[in-house]
Amino acid sequence: MSPELGRLCSLLRSVAEAEIMPRFRHAATRSKADGSLVTEADLATQQRVCDELGRIWPEIPVLGEEMTPAAQQRLIANADVGVWCLDPLDGTSNYAYGFPYFCISLALLRGDKPVLGCIVDPVHDECFCAERGRGAFCDGEPLRLPSGRTELRECLAIVDLKRLPKEDLPSMGGQSPFCSQRNLGSIALDWCWLAAGRIQLYLHGGQKLWDYAAGRLIASEAGAMSRLFARSGGPAAEGLSLEPRMAIAAENEALFERLLEWWSGLPHGDG
């Protein structure tokens, strides 16, 4: 693990200790225009991370979830020179209701892809991180997924039921080909749990850039296969965008191809 990744892990851990955990279970909460929740911990964490990154890497701007869409789009347009992509508290609803599954997620974007990713789970005191082409790690230990599993029925899946089209939901019940499935509520941590081998399959109907930028890189560097789509049943979609993306992923290529084949056979309505 590179010194730069170690520095990012230390930074995010210290911010989580100072801004997130002291407010856990009693954070002030309000609804945003889109109906999602935001807490004082989201805002304080974003400000603290931005301040710390600006002190260490003043030449690299920060794209945060709690910024305006116009500001976010301006930063994406200039990502060739590098931009941090921050979700200060992924799993805000979990956090607000006292469910212990949330994290800070940070990625460094260059060109049209993330090159560094760091995610801290302060409840379990775990730091997942990766550097493109150099592997993924959890608390400094390398992550490498097994390649031998090939049957969907042998797998535990995380499936986001909330954002999948209603036409697909019957297939997510008793007809699904998985051993069992969960829906835990933090996209970035979902990707990390895939990277750590705690789940083997992943389906999510709509995640934003700051949700998946770091986590998908970590899962990929651990050996997972994944693909993003513009919508359910729609075309594959890579590159940087503020539009929600559907994600399909598995711990190895054989499982990914089986999962994709099964998913492609569903009706999906009009997408």
Side-chain angles (χ1 to χ4, degrees):
M1 192 173 87
S2 71
E4 191 169 39
L5 284 179
R7 195 172 192 181
L8 287 178
C9 284
S10 295
L11 187 159
L12 295 190
R13 272 187 155 132
S14 66
V15 173
E17 183 179 357
E19 305 295 349
I20 293 179
M21 294 311 293
R23 295 180 169 95
F24 185 37
R25 302 186 193 279
H26 52 81
T29 305
R30 63 177 173 82
S31 295
K32 296 191 284 189
D34 63 0
S36 62
L37 297 180
V38 63
T39 73
E40 59 187 7
D42 293 79
L43 303 176
T45 300
Q46 179 162 294
Q47 186 61 58
R48 183 76 169 266
V49 173
C50 287
D51 290 346
E52 292 296 320
L53 290 174
R55 181 177 59 82
I56 303 170
W57 293 283
E59 73 282 6
I60 304 177
V62 181
L63 186 162
E65 180 186 7
E66 305 307 330
M67 296 170 62
T68 66
Q72 292 167 345
Q73 191 59 57
R74 284 195 298 271
L75 289 169
I76 285 180
N78 294 300
D80 284 349
V81 297
V83 59
W84 295 109
C85 183
L86 171 68
D87 190 337
L89 183 53
D90 183 56
T92 298
S93 294
N94 286 349
Y95 182 81
Y97 284 95
F99 188 79
Y101 190 78
F102 49 82
C103 65
I104 307 177
S105 176
L106 180 68
L108 177 61
L109 309 176
R110 282 215 166 95
D112 63 350
K113 58 177 67 75
V115 295
L116 292 176
C118 186
I119 292 173
V120 164
D121 172 355
V123 172
H124 301 99
D125 191 26
E126 289 185 318
C127 180
F128 299 88
C129 60
E131 185 171 359
R132 183 168 295 278
R134 297 190 176 182
F137 306 86
C138 179
D139 295 337
E141 295 298 318
L143 296 173
R144 196 64 201 169
L145 290 169
S147 59
R149 200 178 339 239
T150 61
E151 299 297 328
L152 298 183
R153 66 176 179 269
E154 301 174 339
C155 298
L156 182 64
I158 285 183
V159 180
D160 173 68
L161 298 175
K162 178 180 178 181
R163 295 171 182 82
L164 292 174
K166 63 181 183 297
E167 295 86 355
D168 298 332
L169 296 184
S171 300
M172 298 297 124
Q175 303 174 47
S176 66
F178 328 126
C179 172
S180 190
Q181 63 194 54
R182 305 289 183 267
N183 182 19
L184 298 178
S186 170
I187 295 168
L189 267 188
D190 292 345
W191 285 106
C192 291
W193 280 34
L194 174 64
R198 298 169 189 174
I199 61 165
Q200 292 74 49
L201 307 172
Y202 186 41
L203 284 168
H204 194 283
Q207 45 189 259
K208 295 290 190 70
L209 178 63
W210 44 83
D211 295 319
Y212 63 79
R216 189 183 180 211
L217 174 64
I218 293 166
S220 175
E221 288 295 320
M225 299 287 293
S226 66
R227 192 171 299 168
L228 301 179
F229 297 86
R231 63 187 185 281
S232 176
E238 297 291 345
L240 303 184
S241 173
L242 294 179
E243 294 301 315
R245 295 292 184 238
M246 179 185 170
I248 295 181
E251 74 173 6
N252 61 53
E253 185 174 4
L255 284 174
F256 178 76
E257 293 301 329
R258 288 180 181 267
L259 181 62
L260 192 60
E261 180 181 8
W262 171 76
W263 178 259
S264 299
L266 297 182
H268 301 310
D270 295 327

